[in-house]
Amino acid sequence: MKFLSEKNPDSLRTFEIINEGLSKKSVIVIMACCSVTYEGRARSKLGSGDRMIIIKSDGSFMVHQDRNLEPVNWQPPKSQCKASLKDGVMYLEGSRRNPPERLEVEIKSTYMASYFNGEDSKGLELTGYEENMREMVFDNPKIIEEGFRPINREYSTPNGFIDILGKDIEGNLVVLELKSRRAGINAVKQLKKYMDCFSDHKEFVRGILVAPSVTDDASELLEEYKLEYISMVPPREFGTDKNLTLDFFGGSK
Amino acid sequence: MKFLSEKNPDSLRTFEIINEGLSKKSVIVIMACCSVTYEGRARSKLGSGDRMIIIKSDGSFMVHQDRNLEPVNWQPPKSQCKASLKDGVMYLEGSRRNPPERLEVEIKSTYMASYFNGEDSKGLELTGYEENMREMVFDNPKIIEEGFRPINREYSTPNGFIDILGKDIEGNLVVLELKSRRAGINAVKQLKKYMDCFSDHKEFVRGILVAPSVTDDASELLEEYKLEYISMVPPREFGTDKNLTLDFFGGSK
DNA sequence: CACTAGATCTCGTGT
DNA sequence: ACACGAGGTCTAGTG
């Protein structure tokens, strides 16, 4: 990995390092005393203090304080970053057109300025949420109940997409609402909204909330709406490489 | 600001630097080739690559790739961080009990290891819909009360910026604190802080909290501090608030 | 481009 | 501690 890191550079040197980093499409990390203003989707001011400034090669721009996961100010990927020097003071600016917004950092003094050109081709493999639950239900419908048959996933209604639409052993329509986490009243309200789409349906339609657990409020609301609940924890298995599997077997199953 | 930064430390030295940083409650920044596993609310694997690892003094723990604002893996504030050395290989672990989860980073090689103890007391002042309220008050001051005259917006005091400073019909100074949402005790405390800036002022100064509603606690505190309250709903621009638009067209039916 | 919905959402705030 | 709502949400995926 190629990188450069300097301690206590003056304004001019900070300016040079940042410009080198920008031109090399590096990840730039600066520890500095700075103040920040933002104007765009909202407006904010942040007085002077010691912070970490990060500029990534995709244009992501963050200012981090010493607390919280989230940056106190930021600019999303693809924003335009540029450094400038006015009367010996360093300014860093991140901006974009749509929506129009601008982040400006005034750097009072720099403790460390550095940039890095690393190698990272790896993507994250994640499991344990709604998508995996959907797959599990389709692969093994009887975990919902004996005789359950899924028909559509992402079934479109005027009130949004139903996670899974199916039929039970008696042929009744069943609306499944999946949640990978403890479900609150909003999940029940959402399910109810889908149910309303079938209000003029001749036959009986069942609505089932599928989640690891529900809040007390949600439980009461389920009863009030005459909806059902099934406890299910999202599966945590990593799939074997899907692309490979599909290519290899060609979908012959 | 006190800090330490070293280039290309070996495993042992990286281990020492991280432990120093942890014991000093510093912000730790490491550039390293590493792999990551996570298990908890979900489960994930990330193969080897060059990344930035950040540990903040509140226990926030992040692994950043060279793209996107968000970390590829993380652990929230208050999680327990510890470093360990097994067979000459560095491991960094962040974990917490509730919910139970664990993030482990295996560090293959370190390009830079550093920690920082900065000073930062400043909080962010955000002004979004409040800006619209300010405009509304300036455009039409009598919605505050008959004879109200706004003088300054963003009036600077040692305790922060006063939203609107004005005078009433009798010439008394009036401090307005605007909140776009239901105001809690913090809003009242903030207003009180501004009022304190005028404690040696000869004449009477009024403080008014302007918000759509207040919590009961806030209402009590207002009384205790002899502050006033005016109910005002922030104007929302057409197109920015979809619900309003939908209500407008769909609600009349 | 816009639009949708999920997220290890995070973060504040109220109960 | 838990539940709920908002966010400059972000991010991936689809039309």
Side-chain angles (χ1 to χ4, degrees):
Chain A
M1 183 203 239
K2 293 198 176 121
F3 72 99
L4 177 148
S5 176
E6 288 187 21
K7 298 173 188 176
N8 298 307
D10 62 19
S11 306
L12 179 58
R13 185 65 190 132
T14 303
F15 178 70
E16 288 172 357
I17 293 172
I18 290 171
N19 279 327
E20 276 176 40
L22 288 173
S23 69
K24 288 182 206 274
K25 297 260 172 204
S26 311
V27 173
I28 301 169
V29 183
I30 296 159
M31 300 293 315
C33 179
C34 62
S35 61
V36 188
T37 59
Y38 163 78
E39 179 135 13
R41 285 171 285 175
R43 235 157 63 90
S44 76
K45 292 189 292 193
L46 180 64
S48 278
D50 295 332
R51 283 132 205 168
M52 174 167 44
I53 301 157
I54 300 166
I55 301 171
K56 293 188 178 185
S57 47
D58 67 349
S60 307
F61 186 165
M62 299 174 237
V63 179
H64 272 277
Q65 291 183 304
D66 62 359
R67 52 189 179 273
N68 289 350
L69 278 173
E70 307 219 320
V72 63
N73 276 113
W74 72 93
Q75 208 60 281
K78 291 172 197 164
S79 52
Q80 206 82 28
C81 286
K82 63 168 186 255
S84 59
L85 208 50
K86 276 174 205 151
D87 302 327
V89 183
M90 257 288 309
Y91 293 89
L92 253 176
E93 177 188 316
S95 61
R96 61 173 179 162
R97 293 288 183 77
N98 197 332
E101 52 184 357
R102 208 178 82 99
L103 180 64
E104 190 182 74
V105 180
E106 181 181 330
I107 296 178
K108 266 78 171 177
S109 71
T110 310
Y111 308 111
M112 190 197 74
S114 49
Y115 61 80
F116 304 84
N117 278 83
E119 300 279 332
D120 186 359
S121 54
K122 290 295 185 346
L124 187 70
E125 287 182 69
L126 244 178
T127 183
Y129 43 38
E130 231 180 85
E131 176 59 24
N132 305 93
M133 291 175 79
R134 261 196 292 269
E135 282 169 24
M136 188 164 74
V137 170
F138 265 78
D139 292 349
N140 192 9
K142 73 165 181 287
I143 54 177
I144 295 299
E145 65 183 22
E146 203 58 51
F148 176 73
R149 284 176 301 124
I151 301 169
N152 290 93
R153 63 171 77 192
E154 307 270 318
Y155 181 85
S156 182
T157 78
N159 292 341
F161 291 86
I162 290 173
D163 287 329
I164 294 179
L165 187 65
K167 290 203 172 184
D168 68 13
I169 201 164
E170 295 175 18
N172 297 309
L173 262 184
V174 181
V175 176
L176 294 189
E177 172 62 26
L178 307 182
K179 288 289 164 202
S180 64
R181 325 199 42 70
R182 186 173 177 80
I185 49 173
N186 281 352
V188 183
K189 284 178 184 169
Q190 201 177 336
L191 177 53
K192 180 63 161 60
K193 264 174 52 181
Y194 299 142
M195 300 301 292
D196 292 341
C197 300
F198 296 96
S199 56
D200 55 356
H201 201 264
K202 311 273 184 311
E203 296 117 58
F204 181 57
V205 181
R206 294 168 61 194
I208 307 179
L209 178 63
V210 182
S213 62
V214 291
T215 64
D216 292 345
D217 295 356
S219 185
E220 286 173 28
L221 208 56
L222 280 169
E223 199 142 334
E224 188 182 324
Y225 290 155
K226 306 250 180 283
L227 299 171
E228 301 164 55
Y229 163 65
I230 289 177
S231 175
M232 183 186 301
V233 177
R236 302 288 187 106
E237 302 302 318
F238 289 113
T240 47
D241 195 315
K242 276 194 186 152
N243 298 323
L244 185 63
T245 312
L246 285 170
D247 289 343
F248 198 79
F249 292 102
S252 64
K253 198 178 180 185
Chain B
M1 185 204 238
K2 293 197 176 126
F3 73 98
L4 177 149
S5 176
E6 287 187 20
K7 299 173 189 175
N8 298 306
D10 63 18
S11 305
L12 179 59
R13 187 63 191 132
T14 304
F15 178 69
E16 289 171 357
I17 294 172
I18 290 172
N19 279 326
E20 278 176 39
L22 288 173
S23 68
K24 289 181 206 270
K25 297 258 171 206
S26 311
V27 173
I28 301 170
V29 183
I30 296 159
M31 300 293 315
C33 180
C34 61
S35 61
V36 188
T37 59
Y38 161 77
E39 178 129 16
R41 286 170 287 176
R43 219 157 79 89
S44 76
K45 294 189 291 192
L46 180 64
S48 280
D50 295 332
R51 283 132 204 168
M52 174 168 44
I53 301 157
I54 299 165
I55 302 171
K56 293 187 178 186
S57 46
D58 66 350
S60 307
F61 186 165
M62 298 174 240
V63 179
H64 273 276
Q65 290 183 304
D66 64 359
R67 52 188 180 274
N68 287 351
L69 277 174
E70 307 221 320
V72 63
N73 277 114
W74 71 93
Q75 210 53 259
K78 292 173 195 161
S79 51
Q80 208 81 29
C81 286
K82 65 168 186 259
S84 60
L85 209 48
K86 277 174 207 151
D87 302 327
V89 183
M90 258 288 310
Y91 294 88
L92 252 175
E93 176 188 316
S95 62
R96 60 173 180 163
R97 293 287 182 76
N98 197 330
E101 50 183 1
R102 208 178 84 97
L103 180 63
E104 190 181 74
V105 180
E106 181 182 333
I107 297 179
K108 267 79 172 176
S109 71
T110 310
Y111 307 112
M112 190 197 74
S114 49
Y115 61 80
F116 303 84
N117 278 84
E119 300 278 331
D120 187 0
S121 54
K122 291 291 181 3
L124 186 71
E125 293 183 53
L126 236 181
T127 52
Y129 297 124
E130 278 172 35
E131 176 60 23
N132 301 43
M133 292 175 78
R134 260 198 294 272
E135 281 168 25
M136 190 162 74
V137 171
F138 266 79
D139 291 349
N140 193 9
K142 71 165 185 286
I143 55 176
I144 295 301
E145 65 183 22
E146 203 59 50
F148 176 74
R149 283 175 304 124
I151 301 170
N152 290 93
R153 62 212 281 164
E154 309 255 331
Y155 181 85
S156 182
T157 78
N159 292 341
F161 292 86
I162 290 174
D163 287 330
I164 293 178
L165 187 65
K167 290 202 170 184
D168 68 14
I169 201 163
E170 295 175 19
N172 298 308
L173 262 184
V174 182
V175 176
L176 295 190
E177 172 62 27
L178 309 181
K179 287 291 164 203
S180 64
R181 286 189 262 141
R182 183 174 179 83
I185 49 172
N186 283 351
V188 183
K189 286 177 182 168
Q190 198 178 339
L191 177 53
K192 180 64 162 56
K193 265 174 50 182
Y194 299 144
M195 300 302 292
D196 293 341
C197 300
F198 296 95
S199 55
D200 54 356
H201 201 265
K202 311 275 185 310
E203 294 119 56
F204 180 58
V205 181
R206 295 168 60 194
I208 307 179
L209 177 63
V210 183
S213 62
V214 291
T215 64
D216 292 344
D217 297 356
S219 186
E220 285 172 29
L221 207 57
L222 281 169
E223 199 141 335
E224 188 181 324
Y225 291 155
K226 304 254 183 280
L227 299 171
E228 302 165 53
Y229 163 66
I230 289 176
S231 173
M232 182 188 301
V233 176
R236 306 214 166 195
E237 284 174 39
F238 221 50
T240 61
D241 189 323
K242 283 191 183 158
N243 295 324
L244 185 66
T245 314
L246 285 169
D247 288 342
F248 196 79
F249 288 105
S252 59
K253 223 184 195 178

